[in-house]
């Protein structure tokens, strides 16, 4: 099937963590330090908040207050009703690299991944932990041995799916009533786990590098493949049921729009922080799909 792309937003540094919330499309721009929102076609663009230490994952508490990951000081910030940003949680004692994406459940509990190592510095690849941040800001480790836990979703029946970008896989957990995770299993496996810690050897071994993702109403996961310039629609068990080549790097995707059938793609030539911060080549693109959004975010 031929897919037609629309450019929604252009001339940005590096876009990540798209969300459809309260009738608007939200996204972060890493190196302009902005959290943006806009109408579904990109019009009515607003800077919602500036995060000087680099914004990443987005979510909302049940009362509507915004949560945003602040990567370089390892915190989650909360926007209060008057608009000021305050520290919601300090993750610095718990992470092995920058915190990145997160998903927030209907009780306001945030499940947050982190790099696990110094990605941009070219350090050895290491597994790391997944954290839960409760509405009071308390931080609990809920899983370990994850290979760059990244984009995550929560299904309507309470299953947490976590993309492991350097692990060639997606891992699933059942969320227990107290917020703990149980019944860990592989939801999709695309290749082997890293056999070498050397970043330059790990990346070529990734059949699929699952990055930012979004769930649809048939229980399939749309994911950005961070090393192969495509988005994939994956069914539990790992079957790839649709593939959309993008023609450039794509690092996150999310279903949204007024009918939930617009797939938004965060595109850039690469993920190198030095190149991206020095240029304005990132775009937010949109493509129409058949099955609408489901789950969280």
């Amino acid at each position: 099937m031929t897919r037609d792309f629309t450019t929604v937003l252009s001339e940005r540094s590096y876009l990540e963590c798209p969300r459809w919330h309260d009738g608007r499309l939200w996204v972060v721009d890493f190196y302009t330090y902005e959290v943006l929102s806009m109408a579904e076609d990109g019009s009515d663009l607003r800077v919602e908040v500036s995060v000087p230490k680099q914004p990443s994952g987005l979510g909302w508490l049940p009362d509507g207050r915004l949560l945003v990951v602040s990567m370089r000081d390892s915190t989650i910030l909360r926007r209060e009703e008057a608009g000021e940003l305050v520290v919601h949680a300090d993750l610095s004692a718990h992470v092995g690299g920058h915190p990145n994406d997160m998903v927030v459940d209907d009780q306001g509990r945030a499940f947050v991944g982190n790099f696990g190592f110094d990605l941009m510095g070219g350090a050895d690849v290491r597994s790391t932990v997944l954290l839960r941040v409760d509405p009071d800001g308390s931080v609990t480790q809920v899983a370990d041995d994850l290979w760059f836990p990244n984009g995550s979703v929560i299904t309507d029946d309470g299953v947490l799916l976590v993309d492991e970008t350097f692990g060639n896989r997606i891992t699933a957990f059942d969320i227990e009533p107290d917020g703990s995770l149980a019944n860990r299993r592989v939801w999709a496996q695309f290749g082997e786990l890293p056999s070498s810690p050397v970043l330059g050897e790990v990346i070529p071994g990734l059949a699929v590098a699952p990055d930012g993702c979004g769930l649809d109403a048939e229980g399939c996961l749309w994911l950005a493949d961070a090393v192969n310039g495509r988005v994939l629609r994956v069914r539990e068990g790992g079957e790839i049921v649709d593939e959309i080549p993008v023609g450039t790097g794509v690092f996150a995707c999310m279903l949204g729009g007024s009918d939930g059938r617009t797939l938004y793609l965060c595109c850039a030539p690469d993920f190198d922080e030095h190149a991206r911060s020095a240029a304005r080549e990132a775009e937010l693109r949109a493509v129409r799909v058949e099955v609408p959004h489901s789950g969280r975010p």
Side-chain angles (χ1 to χ4, degrees):
M1 180 183 295
T2 301
R3 304 279 188 171
D4 295 322
F5 293 97
T6 300
T7 299
V8 176
L9 189 63
S10 61
E11 298 182 350
R12 306 302 305 190
S13 72
Y14 185 84
L15 300 172
E16 262 281 13
C17 306
R19 305 286 189 262
W20 181 257
H21 175 74
D22 200 20
R24 292 180 65 81
L25 177 63
W26 294 63
V27 69
V28 305
D29 192 338
F30 269 20
Y31 306 117
T32 65
Y33 314 115
E34 294 171 331
V35 178
L36 306 168
S37 79
M38 67 206 79
E40 62 183 290
D41 63 357
S43 62
D44 191 23
L45 181 67
R46 304 174 190 167
V47 177
E48 295 283 349
V49 70
S50 293
V51 178
K53 296 297 184 179
Q54 194 171 311
S56 187
L58 299 175
W60 286 265
L61 293 170
D63 62 10
R65 287 178 294 170
L66 171 70
L67 298 180
V68 55
V69 170
S70 178
M71 297 179 72
R72 292 182 178 275
D73 60 357
S74 297
T75 60
I76 295 177
L77 304 179
R78 185 181 69 244
R79 185 173 66 173
E80 299 291 65
E81 292 181 1
E84 73 275 19
L85 281 179
V86 300
V87 174
H88 181 70
D90 183 350
L91 312 178
S92 58
H94 305 273
V95 297
H98 294 329
N100 55 334
D101 214 342
M102 71 175 175
V103 60
V104 181
D105 72 8
D106 60 359
Q107 297 184 47
R109 300 176 298 204
F111 295 89
V112 192
N114 75 97
F115 289 7
F117 63 100
D118 182 1
L119 171 65
M120 298 303 172
D124 284 352
V125 177
R126 301 178 65 178
S127 65
T128 189
V129 302
L130 187 73
L131 303 175
R132 187 190 75 235
V133 176
D134 289 334
D136 64 0
S138 58
V139 182
T140 303
Q141 179 182 317
V142 288
D144 60 9
D145 196 29
L146 293 163
W147 294 90
F148 207 97
N150 205 336
S152 302
V153 302
I154 298 173
T155 68
D156 288 335
D157 57 353
V159 175
L160 173 67
L161 305 181
V162 180
D163 284 354
E164 294 185 64
T165 303
F166 288 144
N168 267 316
R169 69 185 180 187
I170 301 166
T171 296
F173 305 86
D174 295 335
I175 302 175
E176 299 291 274
D178 64 357
S180 61
L181 300 182
N183 190 24
R184 178 174 181 162
R185 67 264 190 200
V186 174
W187 193 86
Q189 184 84 51
F190 305 107
E192 299 300 319
L193 292 176
S195 59
S196 165
V198 179
L199 182 61
E201 297 175 2
V202 171
I203 291 177
L206 297 175
V208 176
D211 201 329
C213 60
L215 193 71
D216 74 21
E218 292 182 354
C220 291
L221 192 69
W222 278 105
L223 62 87
D225 181 353
V227 298
N228 293 303
R230 59 184 179 168
V231 288
L232 304 176
R233 185 173 181 249
V234 180
R235 182 173 288 131
E236 183 174 6
E239 179 187 2
I240 296 172
V241 295
D242 201 353
E243 175 179 347
I244 305 176
V246 181
T248 187
V250 57
F251 303 100
C253 63
M254 181 56 61
L255 289 164
S258 55
D259 64 358
R261 290 180 167 87
T262 300
L263 185 66
Y264 292 98
L265 316 175
C266 293
C267 303
D270 54 55
F271 60 83
D272 179 78
E273 68 177 5
H274 304 292
R276 294 306 105 226
S277 60
R280 294 295 179 265
E281 299 172 321
E283 295 183 341
L284 187 66
R285 300 181 186 177
V287 62
R288 296 288 289 168
V289 297
E290 293 74 36
V291 182
H293 171 272
S294 184
R296 288 174 174 266

